[in-house]
């Protein structure tokens, strides 16, 4: 079973920062150092930082709600924060969310190859296509491009990055002080990638990285997102409201991976799990209730509006959620629809719930939480979990102190690292040069 930790480079969630045990120091290096050390001591495979390139402005076309409630802002640069975390760890995999919409492949390939070298093979990339108009407007575009155009660009950006990573062979550097030969020029080639969205000549100015390619993570949920993930992702991150929808997604994705000629064992699927643990189930539920009561409905709505990229103030907040058409994050919208229809919630109720959402229903005593995890693994819904913290560092501290020992006792989680790279932690092979060229969409 694989464990990844989802942590913002900023405050946690819409009300995580209000938790009595939340550390307000998310602008300091020590905050991230502390979390990194505790995740490594608990043998997590990966620390994962989500990201967005704006102060959200979806609710009422204003950034005021995001600032007022702390929903989706501030967000520090993930690679810088992961660099701080790398400095105090030796094994923990470190994944940054970086958008294909607003970066050039050369920038992305270079930053990730550099990061993989200096961390000894621990770099991961959560490939996102971005989902807000506010992000597009920070990069010279009037609105978010349609989903199909975003994925078409993502395809080019990742294909070009893969070619840049392949532009150096392993063992190109010689540094032969006797002969004066620094590197073997015959082992480096240019790329000459020409697409509709991006063009790059190459070669990259960073040698082939320890992992060959960074660990690729993807969380697209629309049909195009699922197809993209099935071709490119090593780890698929998803979010589900029920075991049934997680199982259906897991089976569909493993099938899609197989249909693309890839080994489904070489792709890991990690549903999000917000774990709230207590002395008993009742105690944990009380803890979660106390947390949920701190969520102002407008703070939750601001978060939802940001995720779906729709101004929900256009609708009657005491009425049901209408069909929203094309949304920002399809996966989050699907979950909300599923839950709101089942529970017959108004938009205002959805906001209250969404701000304190606990994916996977993992609220309970240690044994209840671990039973649920085991059930998800056994029923083919997960290869592990992306653990989401309600607040930091307390939620991860409790998970490490109470849940991890029980997982280890049941033989579900390791008690020491066997490998050193992120790919090794996930049981994934180191791909040979050019191996990923097969993943690119054949046109
Ligand atoms: C669980 C989950 C987490 C995500 N995290 C991010 C993120 O940190 N930043 C981001 O820009 N997009 C994030 N996304 C969005 C997707 O990766 C994707 O780019 C977006 O949903 C559009 O594709 P889709 O419609 O296929 O889902 C996330 C999606 C899901 C389901």
């Amino acid at each position: 079973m694989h464990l990844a930790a989802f942590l913002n480079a900023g405050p946690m969630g819409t009300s995580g920062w209000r938790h009595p045990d939340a550390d307000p120091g998310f602008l300091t290096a020590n905050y991230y150092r502390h979390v990194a050390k505790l995740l490594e001591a608990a043998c997590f495979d990966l620390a994962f930082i989500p990201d967005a390139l704006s102060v959200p402005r979806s609710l009422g076309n204003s950034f005021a709600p995001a600032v007022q409630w702390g929903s989706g802002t501030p967000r520090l640069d993930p690679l810088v924060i992961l660099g701080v975390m790398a400095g105090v760890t030796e094994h923990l995999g470190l994944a940054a969310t970086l958008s294909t919409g607003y970066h050039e492949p050369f920038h992305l390939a270079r930053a990730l190859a550099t990061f993989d070298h200096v961390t000894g093979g621990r770099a991961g990339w959560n490939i996102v296509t971005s989902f807000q108009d506010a992000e597009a407007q920070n990069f010279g575009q009037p609105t978010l491009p349609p989903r199909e155009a975003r994925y078409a660009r993502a395809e080019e950006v990742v294909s070009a990055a893969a070619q840049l990573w392949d532009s150096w062979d392993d063992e190109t550097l010689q540094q032969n002080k006797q002969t004066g030969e620094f590197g073997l020029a015959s082992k480096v080639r240019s790329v000459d990638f020409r697409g509709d969205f991006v063009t790059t000549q190459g070669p990259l100015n960073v040698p082939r990285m320890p992992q060959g390619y960074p660990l690729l993570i993807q969380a697209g949920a629309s049909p195009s997102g699922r197809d993209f993930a099935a071709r490119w992702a090593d780890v698929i991150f998803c979010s589900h409201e029920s075991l049934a929808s997680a199982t259906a997604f897991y089976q569909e994705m493993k099938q899609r991976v197989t249909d693309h000629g890839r080994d489904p064992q070489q792709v890991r699927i990690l549903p999000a799990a917000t774990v709230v643990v207590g002395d008993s189930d009742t105690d944990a539920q009380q803890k979660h209730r106390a947390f949920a009561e701190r969520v102002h409905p407008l703070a939750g709505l601001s978060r939802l509006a940001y995720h779906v990229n729709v101004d929900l103030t256009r609708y009657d907040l005491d009425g049901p959620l209408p069909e929203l058409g094309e949304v920002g994050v399809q996966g989050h919208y699907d979950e909300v629809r599923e839950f709101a229809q089942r529970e017959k919630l108004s938009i205002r109720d959805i906001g209250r719930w969404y701000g304190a959402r606990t994916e996977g229903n993992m609220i309970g005593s240690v044994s209840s939480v671990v039973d649920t995890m085991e059930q998800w693994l056994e029923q083919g819904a997960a290869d592990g979990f992306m653990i989401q913290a309600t607040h930091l560092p307390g939620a991860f501290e409790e998970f490490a102190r109470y849940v991890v020992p029980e997982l280890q006792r049941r033989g579900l989680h390791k008690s020491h690292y066997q490998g050193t790279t992120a790919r090794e932690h996930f049981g994934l092979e180191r791909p040979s040069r050019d191996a990923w060229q097969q993943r690119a969409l054949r046109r």
Side-chain angles (χ1 to χ4, degrees):
M1 156 176 167
H2 299 286
L3 279 184
F6 180 101
L7 65 134
N8 291 337
M12 281 314 284
T14 358
S15 57
W17 62 271
R18 287 185 74 188
H19 193 284
D21 299 336
D23 179 348
F26 55 78
L27 297 178
T28 68
N30 273 345
Y31 177 93
Y32 299 99
R33 288 191 190 112
H34 175 71
V35 174
K37 285 194 259 187
L38 92 87
L39 294 177
E40 183 155 282
C43 293
F44 269 75
D45 297 308
L46 189 76
F48 170 100
I49 299 191
D51 198 30
L53 296 166
S54 66
V55 178
R57 232 180 21 244
S58 313
L59 201 67
N61 194 26
S62 162
F63 57 75
V67 176
Q68 181 175 2
W69 309 112
S71 50
T73 205
R75 287 288 178 265
L76 307 186
D77 187 289
L79 268 182
V80 175
I81 298 303
L82 290 170
V84 168
M85 295 172 75
V88 293
T89 51
E90 287 176 4
H91 295 91
L92 184 65
L94 301 158
T97 295
L98 298 163
S99 176
T100 53
Y102 310 108
H103 296 299
E104 286 287 318
F106 196 93
H107 283 138
L108 292 164
R110 182 176 185 231
L112 287 159
T114 303
F115 193 56
D116 201 57
H117 277 291
V118 300
T119 59
R122 297 194 278 145
W125 175 17
N126 178 34
I127 307 172
V128 296
T129 54
S130 296
F131 56 84
Q132 301 166 74
D133 289 333
E135 293 176 286
Q137 288 154 7
N138 283 340
F139 295 90
Q141 294 173 12
T143 53
L144 181 71
R147 177 176 291 115
E148 295 314 315
R150 300 201 312 271
Y151 275 112
R153 183 183 157 104
E155 182 64 33
E156 284 192 11
V157 169
V158 179
S159 301
Q163 290 189 26
L164 287 163
W165 289 321
D166 285 333
S167 63
W168 289 62
D169 205 347
D170 291 316
E171 286 152 31
T172 299
L173 295 189
Q174 300 293 305
Q175 302 200 65
N176 188 327
K177 292 187 179 174
Q178 244 67 57
T179 63
E181 188 169 40
F182 177 78
L184 301 175
S186 62
K187 285 178 172 271
V188 179
R189 62 180 187 226
S190 46
V191 165
D192 199 18
F193 183 98
R194 280 166 211 289
D196 295 333
F197 299 90
V198 293
T199 293
T200 186
Q201 177 66 40
L204 194 63
N205 54 357
V206 182
R208 188 146 201 266
M209 69 186 94
Q211 295 189 99
Y213 306 99
L215 183 80
L216 284 199
I217 303 157
Q218 224 274 332
S222 63
S224 314
R226 291 179 192 210
D227 182 66
F228 184 88
R231 281 183 296 106
W232 285 107
D234 299 305
V235 172
I236 295 172
F237 170 34
C238 53
S239 182
H240 293 279
E241 269 314 305
S242 64
L243 174 58
S245 68
T247 311
F249 179 81
Y250 183 96
Q251 282 163 5
E252 183 197 321
M253 290 312 294
K254 292 274 172 158
Q255 187 57 50
R256 279 182 185 261
V257 168
T258 310
D259 293 346
H260 283 296
R262 298 177 63 203
D263 176 2
Q265 301 293 334
Q266 288 285 298
V267 177
R268 308 291 179 203
I269 300 182
L270 306 187
T274 311
V275 174
V276 181
V277 76
D279 292 337
S280 62
D281 289 351
T282 318
D283 179 45
Q285 273 144 15
Q286 268 165 8
K287 272 167 94 171
H288 182 251
R289 250 195 313 279
F291 169 72
E293 276 161 12
R294 281 186 209 102
V295 178
H296 192 288
L298 283 182
L301 270 192
S302 156
R303 181 166 186 235
L304 178 58
Y306 151 61
H307 281 156
V308 294
N309 193 41
V310 173
D311 182 2
L312 298 168
T313 58
R314 276 196 244 141
Y315 306 109
D316 171 13
L317 296 189
D318 295 311
L321 186 70
E323 279 298 316
L324 297 181
E326 180 162 325
V327 295
V329 183
Q330 186 69 40
H332 294 328
Y333 177 52
D334 291 345
E335 281 171 82
V336 168
R337 245 194 332 202
E338 180 188 334
F339 190 75
Q341 281 169 5
R342 196 172 68 218
E343 305 289 324
K344 303 196 173 25
L345 301 182
S346 68
I347 297 181
R348 200 184 301 277
D349 295 334
I350 296 173
R352 199 174 286 114
W353 163 74
Y354 199 72
R357 197 169 48 125
T358 48
E359 292 90 343
N361 195 21
M362 300 205 190
I363 305 174
S365 65
V366 171
S367 61
S368 300
V369 165
V370 176
D371 285 348
T372 308
M373 290 185 153
E374 205 164 5
Q375 187 193 22
W376 282 51
L377 293 171
E378 278 171 4
Q379 296 209 358
D383 295 313
F385 298 93
M386 181 75 78
I387 305 299
Q388 313 230 75
T390 45
H391 62 288
L392 280 183
F396 286 150
E397 283 169 347
E398 289 186 1
F399 188 86
R401 191 173 313 134
Y402 303 116
V403 182
V404 166
E406 179 60 13
L407 289 170
Q408 289 167 332
R409 197 187 64 74
R410 297 197 199 180
L412 293 171
H413 182 53
K414 58 183 170 288
S415 38
H416 59 271
Y417 290 97
Q418 290 182 341
T420 54
T421 70
R423 307 191 81 79
E424 285 166 351
H425 301 334
F426 282 95
L428 306 175
E429 290 152 12
R430 179 182 192 266
S432 58
R433 188 190 196 192
D434 293 335
W436 278 14
Q437 301 311 326
Q438 294 146 13
R439 294 188 179 184
L441 198 58
R442 301 278 163 250
R443 286 169 195 277

